[in-house]
Amino acid sequence: MTSSNLSQRVIEGDARAVARAISLIEDDTPSGAELIRRIFPSTGRAYLVGITGPPGSGKSTLVDRLTAEIRKTAKTVGVVAVDPTSPFSGGALLGDRVRMQAHAGDAGVFIRSMATRGNLGGLARATSDVALVLDAAGKDVVLIETVGVGQDEIDIVRTADVSIVTVVPGSGDEVQALKAGIMEIADIFVVNKADREGADRTVASIDANLSLQTFAPGEWRPPILKTEATTGRGVAELLATIERFRAHTAGSQGSRRRARAEFRVRELLAQRFVQHVEERVLGADELAGILDRIAARELDPYAAVDEIVRRTVKGASAS
Amino acid sequence: MTSSNLSQRVIEGDARAVARAISLIEDDTPSGAELIRRIFPSTGRAYLVGITGPPGSGKSTLVDRLTAEIRKTAKTVGVVAVDPTSPFSGGALLGDRVRMQAHAGDAGVFIRSMATRGNLGGLARATSDVALVLDAAGKDVVLIETVGVGQDEIDIVRTADVSIVTVVPGSGDEVQALKAGIMEIADIFVVNKADREGADRTVASIDANLSLQTFAPGEWRPPILKTEATTGRGVAELLATIERFRAHTAGSQGSRRRARAEFRVRELLAQRFVQHVEERVLGADELAGILDRIAARELDPYAAVDEIVRRTVKGASAS
């Protein structure tokens, strides 16, 4: 299939073309980049919902339930689950199979898990690109679920149209989870597994944290919802809250999209430059030699990098 | 204090100079980079211990106990805790105060928490640099503790001399935590809070996962330890296991250091290039204009980045 055919079929919503396109992106091929360029003008219609939280907070089940709830409104749903599963356990693929069963035969749902990537920033970029594919394919809502509280994961969720942070009640641990840098990115908090002991205490502790912030009149104060993803309790209210947030921010959606563009441009710039240096500037043995000298403390990394940058960019004096 | 004086005092192990040096690094100042260049030849003596695991697995308490255990052997200890705490809660600073109390008045211990950073990859680089400062200051062992399972955090821990993954027993959640891409980086597994129900089941589940891997004769198979950080139980055994790993890998430590050098060079290359583009290639309004056009779907990010790279690197034709 040519790149032009593939992008056309993605835009027509062909599920097999979408799957093929995602594989190209995951493999970090030039055709993946070319595909994104072709579909990009057809993106920007989907509403991006980012969901994050610590492992074990029941995000996958919550996303499944939320998908089902959105489907009741006849909107179509794409799901990108960033699951940094060990390659040797084959978990991402297995995860997809388990996930798909709940929505088997529903052409209005497309689910894909992303495994971890070796490259610097590779996972975040790939996730954004997969979200673009689902957007171009006509999915009305794209749910992006990330495990963990890493910086990349936070950036992915932070630049979605709405950011949901899930927490689970526990014996004091929830406070540590809250500490993990995700407090300030939440538009909506979800205390999942709310049937567990301590759910109200967790709600109170988030609320106490929010009280430290000042909200201007009319400014959105992140609501704290309780859900039980296994039974579906609270999921309808979550969707209603997402819709409420969407209406509240309808006038300011542009700033999120701009932040998303900036995050993407910085990531791509970094990746393209390192690639350029490795392919065009340094010989394979040369990089290895530099690394050996750094490891042996004969050269410091800042001096090494300054020298490489000097050799690579225009207008710098060669040394 | 001049940069030269500061680096000299860091190398002499002056605690106030170390604190000042770390602040320079955290603020991402040119003096921070200059300092690293100066102290770099004096680094490479410390043994780097990376500790990661999901939030709430009791890493901080474990690190405190391990610090005390190492101090019994008269070795000095530096601790870098990557704590992506919300800036508004002031948690990192508070955390340091709480942590320091246990080792107050012990000049052989230096503890520093790092808060989250806005920059791409900034936290990982800053963490490595702080570890270098503690190394140069003569700390025998540097413990690097990261919260979360993000890609940056994994890279930090993966490139330490030994990588420890902590897990906590729980109602089925521990399996999800294990899925989180940290399984294959562990040299040593620690099931902390081992007095909790399900600890043995967690050990068995890790062991079952390890059984899927093939270990060559003489190859290190990651041991699974049980600890109770609150009482200190199992911590002496953990230190003994670290020493055993150190002896086992004494001949191959170079490859870890080379991986560390590579990770650092890639990170720095990316950061320096983006900085160069923003300061020297694009005008402030120009970047804003590009982002607006991407957000409005008039320009795709790949085309925008290709054009910026073309304008910046040598030997590329301007378009």
Side-chain angles (χ1 to χ4, degrees), chain A residues 32-33 36-37 40-44 54-60 83-89 91 95 116-125 129 132 135 147-155 168 171 173 176-184 193 196 209-210 212-213 254 257-258 260-274 276-278 287-295 297-306 308-318, chain B residues 32-33 36-37 40-44 54-60 83-89 91 95 116-125 129 132 135 147-155 168 171 173 176-184 193 196 209-210 212-213 254 257-258 260-274 276-278 287-295 297-306 308-318:
Chain A
I36 293 296
R37 299 193 52 170
F40 195 75
S42 306
T43 62
S57 56
K59 289 178 301 297
S60 308
D83 186 354
T85 307
S86 148
F88 77 79
S89 72
T116 206
R117 310 264 306 221
N119 299 353
L120 175 74
L123 184 61
R125 195 178 63 251
D129 284 352
L132 284 176
D135 182 347
V147 174
V149 293
Q151 191 162 329
D152 284 346
E153 291 75 7
I154 289 175
D155 282 336
V168 65
S171 45
D173 298 350
Q176 263 196 276
L178 280 181
K179 271 177 59 185
I182 51 181
M183 188 78 195
E184 71 271 23
K193 305 188 182 179
R196 284 202 188 170
N209 253 294
L210 286 174
L212 300 174
Q213 284 178 283
R257 300 198 158 193
R258 215 164 157 289
R260 204 145 74 217
E262 182 165 1
F263 173 60
R264 181 184 290 271
V265 164
R266 280 172 188 276
E267 272 245 326
L268 262 181
L269 265 181
Q271 184 259 338
R272 284 295 155 106
F273 178 68
V274 173
H276 176 84
V277 165
E278 292 186 341
L287 180 59
I290 290 170
L291 297 178
D292 283 340
R293 286 173 61 208
I294 292 174
R297 262 64 189 173
E298 296 163 17
L299 178 67
D300 76 84
Y302 284 90
V305 165
D306 283 349
I308 295 171
V309 170
R310 251 198 311 272
R311 279 169 57 184
T312 309
V313 305
K314 286 176 185 166
S317 54
Chain B
I36 294 294
R37 298 194 54 171
F40 195 74
S42 306
T43 62
S57 56
K59 289 179 300 300
S60 308
D83 186 354
T85 307
S86 146
F88 77 76
S89 72
T116 207
R117 310 265 304 222
N119 299 353
L120 174 73
L123 184 61
R125 194 179 63 252
D129 283 353
L132 284 177
D135 182 346
V147 175
V149 293
Q151 192 161 327
D152 284 346
E153 291 75 6
I154 288 175
D155 282 336
V168 65
S171 45
D173 298 349
Q176 263 195 277
L178 279 181
K179 272 177 60 185
I182 52 181
M183 188 77 196
E184 72 271 22
K193 304 188 182 179
R196 284 202 188 170
N209 253 293
L210 286 174
L212 300 173
Q213 284 179 282
R257 301 199 154 190
R258 217 165 156 287
R260 203 145 74 215
E262 183 165 2
F263 172 60
R264 180 184 291 269
V265 164
R266 280 173 189 275
E267 271 245 327
L268 263 181
L269 265 180
Q271 184 259 336
R272 285 294 156 105
F273 179 69
V274 173
H276 176 85
V277 165
E278 293 186 339
L287 180 60
I290 290 171
L291 297 178
D292 283 340
R293 286 173 61 209
I294 292 174
R297 262 62 187 173
E298 295 164 16
L299 177 67
D300 77 83
Y302 284 89
V305 165
D306 283 350
I308 295 171
V309 170
R310 251 198 311 273
R311 279 170 54 184
T312 309
V313 304
K314 286 176 184 165
S317 54

Side-chain angles (χ1 to χ4, degrees), chain A residues 82-293:
Chain A
V82 182
D83 186 354
T85 307
S86 148
F88 77 79
S89 72
L93 209 65
L94 185 68
D96 269 4
R97 281 194 209 118
V98 173
R99 281 156 177 275
M100 289 303 283
Q101 278 170 10
H103 306 282
D106 180 356
V109 177
F110 192 99
I111 299 174
R112 182 70 164 243
S113 294
M114 313 274 296
T116 206
R117 310 264 306 221
N119 299 353
L120 175 74
L123 184 61
R125 195 178 63 251
T127 303
S128 311
D129 284 352
V130 169
L132 284 176
V133 168
L134 295 171
D135 182 347
K139 296 290 176 266
D140 298 310
V141 180
V142 174
L143 305 176
I144 306 175
E145 171 200 335
T146 73
V147 174
V149 293
Q151 191 162 329
D152 284 346
E153 291 75 7
I154 289 175
D155 282 336
I156 294 169
V157 170
R158 186 175 57 82
T159 58
D161 292 316
V162 60
S163 310
I164 299 173
V165 170
T166 60
V167 199
V168 65
S171 45
D173 298 350
E174 76 275 12
V175 179
Q176 263 196 276
L178 280 181
K179 271 177 59 185
I182 51 181
M183 188 78 195
E184 71 271 23
I185 67 160
D187 299 312
I188 299 168
F189 285 99
V190 171
V191 178
N192 195 25
K193 305 188 182 179
D195 52 325
R196 284 202 188 170
E197 209 194 309
D200 289 328
R201 205 180 53 228
T202 303
V203 170
S205 122
I206 297 170
D207 195 57
N209 253 294
L210 286 174
S211 303
L212 300 174
Q213 284 178 283
T214 314
F215 294 94
E219 191 182 346
W220 180 264
R221 187 191 202 269
I224 309 159
L225 306 181
K226 291 197 285 185
T227 58
E228 294 170 32
T230 45
T231 64
R233 203 172 147 189
V235 176
E237 198 194 340
L238 173 58
L239 181 55
T241 307
I242 293 171
E243 291 299 344
R244 205 153 55 79
F245 180 81
R246 185 174 188 170
H248 187 270
T249 53
S252 60
Q253 208 184 7
S255 68
R256 286 284 183 113
R257 300 198 158 193
R258 215 164 157 289
R260 204 145 74 217
E262 182 165 1
F263 173 60
R264 181 184 290 271
V265 164
R266 280 172 188 276
E267 272 245 326
L268 262 181
L269 265 181
Q271 184 259 338
R272 284 295 155 106
F273 178 68
V274 173
Q275 195 182 351
H276 176 84
V277 165
E278 292 186 341
E279 291 174 1
R280 308 276 183 90
V281 180
L282 297 179
D285 292 351
E286 194 179 357
L287 180 59
I290 290 170
L291 297 178
D292 283 340
R293 286 173 61 208

Side-chain angles (χ1 to χ4, degrees), chain B residues 48-50 144 155-163 187 256 260:
Chain B
L48 263 59
V49 178
I144 306 175
D155 282 336
I156 293 169
V157 171
R158 185 177 57 81
T159 58
D161 292 315
V162 60
S163 311
D187 300 311
R256 285 286 182 109
R260 203 145 74 215

